[in-house]
Amino acid sequence: MAKRDYYEVLGVAKNSSADEIKKAYHKLALKHHPDRNPGDREAEERFKEAAEAYGVLQDADKRRNYDQFGHEGSNFGSAGFSNVEDIFSAFSDIFGGSVFGDMFGGGRGSGRSRGRRGASLRCTITLDFAEVAETVEKVITLRRNEGCETCDGTGAKPGTKPSKCPQCSGAGVVMTSAGFFSMRSACPRCQGRGEIITDACGKCGGSGRIAREREITIKIPPGIEDGMTLRVGGEGEAGENGAPHGDLLCDVQIRPHPLFKRAGADVYLVLPVGFAQAALGATVEVPTLKGRTEFKISRGTQSGQVLRMRGEGFPKLDGYGRGDQLIEIAIEVPQKLTKDQEKLLREFAETEEQNISPERKSFLDKVKKMFSK
Ligand SMILES: [Zn+2]
Ligand SMILES: [Zn+2]
């Protein structure tokens, strides 16, 4: 399933050194650390994601596999990090450990994992341009694997228990010798779980999971931009043997607007204005994200001038305030004139000959200078 590239997660180049990878990870881990972001699921997910990426990239072999085969490759062989608990216990030195046992429901200390965390799912959400000016909720329907209720996700027939794997005697790992070396690798029989199912649950056939259609309500943070991906923690596929769900990644698409354009949190609007309105000043009606409002154009407004309506843009994604609405004035020159209008304009033009406007005067002066040598 679509998973972010590990290098991208850590924000490092493909050829970065082990040291650079370590530094990048430490920085992210501190930033998204659950202790610093209590109750923030997004931060928790980022934290896990970074830990997973680091778990692979800090290990030369796994990194090579990953470079060659991608996410599939990083799951190969040797006692890998099969779930987050493992990652936390392996890197607890950075944080002093302890907190994570509570956070993820304990389960550490058994020496082997309960099963892999579920895979991520992906969906696309299409929103209207102005809709994201406020928090919106969208309901999407998706089909995903969920834990089987009959066997509680274990895959074993109710009343029976998985039995100890005969190949690895429950250790989850086996030693294989390769030349002079012996290597630890995940037990092929039980995939590192240490146990196998002898009596399969009749409902799920021993997989512990059942496909279901679900409606999920997704809260969209205001100000989200086209092309961004929203991560909804824990709404992906169920994990193996009751392990946590993966995430749901929602790609956000925003429909273009016939009048507005967007640049970050700012909204941009081109406002056609009549020549006389711009010269004399006027109050005109302009659309905003929230509705219509009156907008004052001062006397002598020029074509191309950009005026700002503060705080009329989108909420900023960092949570601090809103962007502005920028209005570019486009003065429209009439293409057809009535007899009366033409007469008035000709009279106006005559006065213009005697009363030259400042920009035009400065232009004419420059032209004069250009040819006076
Ligand atoms: Zn079952
Ligand atoms: Zn085994």
Side-chain angles (χ1 to χ4, degrees):
M1 285 275 157
K3 226 171 155 185
R4 278 220 296 160
D5 177 69
Y6 287 151
Y7 292 99
E8 191 189 309
V9 167
L10 295 181
V12 294
K14 278 228 152 49
N15 58 1
S16 21
S17 68
D19 204 44
E20 284 167 333
I21 287 173
K22 192 171 178 182
K23 273 197 192 129
Y25 169 60
H26 278 213
K27 222 169 103 187
L28 283 174
L30 287 174
K31 183 173 166 203
H32 298 302
H33 193 279
D35 280 356
R36 291 196 174 183
N37 306 278
D40 183 350
R41 275 204 100 154
E42 175 75 26
E44 186 188 316
E45 289 309 319
R46 293 265 165 260
F47 181 70
K48 286 191 227 167
E49 194 184 36
E52 187 187 320
Y54 181 61
V56 170
L57 298 186
Q58 54 88 35
D59 179 307
D61 287 339
K62 280 184 218 156
R63 185 175 175 184
R64 199 159 39 242
N65 275 339
Y66 177 72
D67 287 345
Q68 210 171 344
F69 305 106
H71 288 291
E72 293 304 311
S74 62
N75 293 333
F76 286 167
S78 70
F81 297 108
S82 45
N83 70 10
V84 280
E85 289 166 7
D86 287 1
I87 297 166
F88 287 135
S89 49
F91 297 105
S92 58
D93 57 315
I94 303 174
F95 312 106
S98 80
V99 289
F100 304 116
D102 310 331
M103 242 181 92
F104 297 98
R108 276 196 288 152
S110 64
R112 56 183 155 75
S113 55
R114 282 193 303 161
R116 262 180 231 296
R117 185 165 180 262
S120 298
L121 288 175
R122 218 165 180 119
C123 68
T124 303
I125 297 182
T126 308
L127 299 154
D128 283 335
F129 187 88
E131 204 173 12
V132 294
E134 307 296 334
T135 307
V136 274
E137 288 189 345
K138 291 277 152 182
V139 178
I140 60 151
T141 306
L142 59 84
R143 202 175 162 74
R144 71 178 178 197
N145 284 311
E146 298 194 343
C148 170
E149 280 137 20
T150 307
C151 63
D152 226 0
T154 61
K157 195 171 170 183
T160 72
K161 274 192 172 160
S163 53
K164 197 186 263 187
C165 170
Q167 192 162 339
C168 62
S169 314
V173 287
V174 288
M175 304 297 282
T176 47
S177 58
F180 295 109
F181 305 101
S182 67
M183 284 184 339
R184 268 158 65 92
S185 59
C187 169
R189 176 91 188 261
C190 64
Q191 276 97 45
R193 283 194 288 274
E195 41 191 35
I196 53 167
I197 287 155
T198 31
D199 288 309
C201 162
K203 189 89 186 281
C204 62
S207 69
R209 288 179 283 188
I210 288 178
R212 281 205 183 87
E213 201 140 281
R214 279 280 177 214
E215 282 197 339
I216 293 169
T217 304
I218 296 169
K219 204 169 156 192
I220 317 270
I224 200 158
E225 291 178 37
D226 185 52
M228 285 182 168
T229 300
L230 189 65
R231 182 184 286 265
V232 187
E235 294 288 8
E237 302 272 25
E240 281 174 6
N241 294 68
H245 276 250
D247 296 335
L248 175 62
L249 302 171
C250 302
D251 295 321
V252 173
Q253 288 181 349
I254 295 180
R255 292 187 191 95
H257 194 276
L259 292 174
F260 296 126
K261 296 258 179 299
R262 183 171 174 181
D266 291 336
V267 177
Y268 199 84
L269 173 75
V270 175
L271 180 68
V273 170
F275 158 74
Q277 284 180 310
L280 301 170
T283 300
V284 293
E285 193 185 69
V286 294
T288 67
L289 292 175
K290 292 179 210 147
R292 303 173 204 207
T293 185
E294 304 233 295
F295 183 69
K296 223 179 146 224
I297 295 166
S298 48
R299 225 179 157 85
T301 296
Q302 302 297 315
S303 198
Q305 204 172 331
V306 177
L307 307 169
R308 191 176 285 267
M309 294 170 82
R310 291 212 184 272
E312 294 290 340
F314 288 97
K316 291 185 180 164
L317 278 172
D318 63 10
Y320 295 102
R322 297 178 86 99
D324 301 330
Q325 175 157 317
L326 303 172
I327 298 179
E328 182 185 325
I329 301 294
I331 293 178
E332 208 169 16
V333 175
Q335 288 180 311
K336 276 184 187 156
L337 295 169
T338 63
K339 276 243 160 68
D340 286 346
Q341 283 176 326
E342 184 164 343
K343 188 167 161 272
L344 287 169
L345 264 183
R346 286 201 185 282
E347 279 171 32
F348 176 76
E350 274 166 37
T351 64
E352 242 186 345
E353 293 292 309
Q354 295 144 25
N355 214 339
I356 297 170
S357 59
E359 278 291 324
R360 190 160 157 77
K361 182 168 188 311
S362 129
F363 174 78
L364 291 175
D365 286 348
K366 281 175 192 152
V367 173
K368 205 188 267 172
K369 226 182 235 166
M370 191 173 147
F371 296 108
S372 68
K373 279 167 196 163

